[in-house]
Amino acid sequence: MGYGTEMDSCGRCMKYTLFFVNFIIFIGGVIIVGLATWALLDKVPWIGELVGNDLLTGAVYVLLAGGIIVALVAFFGCVGASREVKCMLLTYFIILFLLFVTMLIGGVLAYVFREKLVSTLEREMSSSMRVYDTRKVVKEAWDTTQSTLHCCGVNGWRDWGNLGLNVPESCCREIQPGQRFNCNTGPDRVNSANTYLAGCINGTQIYLQKHASTMGGAGIALACLMFLGLIFSCVLFKMIE
């Protein structure tokens, strides 16, 4: 039978608890979607080009898709719990379990990226500078990073000259939005007073680790809530006659 009979006080308590847990999961799913959208709008995929690692970008997309589905499934879980529909609870359990694994993987990927980032960042950033003039996506990534973080090169503007490249315009200080000083007169001739002097390595590391920690922590926290949902839905399923 799809619908349960009248439940005792323990069963009703379990039903309302599952309803509350699903409501929290629903809110968590919406928050994950918001965080993933923020990460994408904050150009995490572009900056990922600098470090030669797509783990964080992959984690963001996994969490974005998972968050949307989690919010929808949690909504139907609330309906299943309140109406005591066994088939809906069973379907909810199976889907939630798959999403639990997905969110856990997304969270772990973000943390793996965070740890891997420290040991490879300088090498990968230096390597990407060599293709600045030949790969559009890398050029956009460097220009976005230097303009946003107010930095130049990996350890400083001389990194560009060491590669025989002109210092990019994105290294020049802004006079006003959309207008910059002319700081570049050649690979070894730069007006340092009008140039961002700090290298980008520290700012990029902090920037990406912040996103990785936020996305990883949110994904794992939501996975823990989903695990509670799995337990309560299983118990409620057995209580419905």
Side-chain angles (χ1 to χ4, degrees):
M1 293 180 61
Y3 292 85
T5 57
E6 185 67 25
M7 302 178 69
D8 58 19
S9 58
C10 181
R12 287 195 296 273
C13 178
M14 186 62 64
K15 179 177 74 172
Y16 294 129
T17 301
L18 178 60
F19 182 91
F20 177 75
V21 169
N22 272 289
F23 179 74
I24 298 299
I25 293 174
F26 172 79
I27 298 299
V30 172
I31 291 174
I32 288 288
V33 171
L35 288 174
T37 303
W38 161 67
L40 293 176
L41 292 177
D42 214 22
K43 301 179 177 63
V44 164
W46 279 6
I47 294 183
E49 290 291 332
L50 268 64
V51 299
N53 193 316
D54 293 328
L55 273 178
L56 183 57
T57 303
V60 169
Y61 282 116
V62 166
L63 292 173
L64 175 62
I68 293 173
I69 300 173
V70 163
L72 293 174
V73 171
F75 173 78
F76 288 110
C78 289
V79 176
S82 61
R83 293 177 59 85
E84 302 173 20
V85 184
K86 292 191 72 172
C87 63
M88 187 175 287
L89 280 173
L90 180 60
T91 303
Y92 165 80
F93 177 88
I94 294 171
I95 296 175
L96 193 66
F97 176 76
L98 296 175
L99 289 172
F100 163 76
V101 174
T102 301
M103 298 304 289
L104 193 60
I105 289 174
V108 170
L109 276 177
Y111 271 108
V112 168
F113 172 84
R114 185 179 184 276
E115 296 304 317
K116 188 175 181 181
L117 175 69
V118 177
S119 61
T120 63
L121 183 60
E122 184 171 3
R123 183 182 71 247
E124 294 296 343
M125 289 182 69
S126 298
S127 177
S128 66
M129 289 180 68
R130 293 182 170 85
V131 294
Y132 176 85
D133 286 336
T134 57
R135 287 189 59 191
K136 182 181 179 181
V137 66
V138 172
K139 182 179 187 302
E140 291 175 341
W142 266 108
D143 288 342
T144 299
T145 300
Q146 293 178 146
S147 298
T148 302
L149 302 182
H150 295 173
C151 59
C152 187
V154 179
N155 296 297
W157 62 265
R158 287 183 176 84
D159 292 340
W160 294 103
N162 292 338
L163 295 174
L165 300 173
N166 291 334
V167 171
E169 184 181 345
S170 55
C171 280
C172 303
R173 298 179 186 275
E174 280 191 324
I175 304 173
Q176 58 186 17
Q179 184 178 0
R180 296 181 179 276
F181 286 107
N182 181 19
C183 65
N184 179 33
T185 56
D188 297 313
R189 297 183 300 278
V190 172
N191 185 348
S192 59
N194 296 335
T195 308
Y196 296 132
L197 300 180
C200 294
I201 185 167
N202 290 333
T204 301
Q205 180 174 326
I206 293 170
Y207 178 88
L208 290 176
Q209 284 186 327
K210 176 187 72 174
H211 281 82
S213 297
T214 301
M215 299 304 300
I220 292 174
L222 185 57
C224 291
L225 285 174
M226 292 166 67
F227 184 71
L228 290 178
L230 289 171
I231 294 174
F232 286 124
S233 64
C234 185
V235 173
L236 182 60
F237 180 86
K238 291 182 176 296
M239 283 184 170
I240 299 176
E241 297 179 359

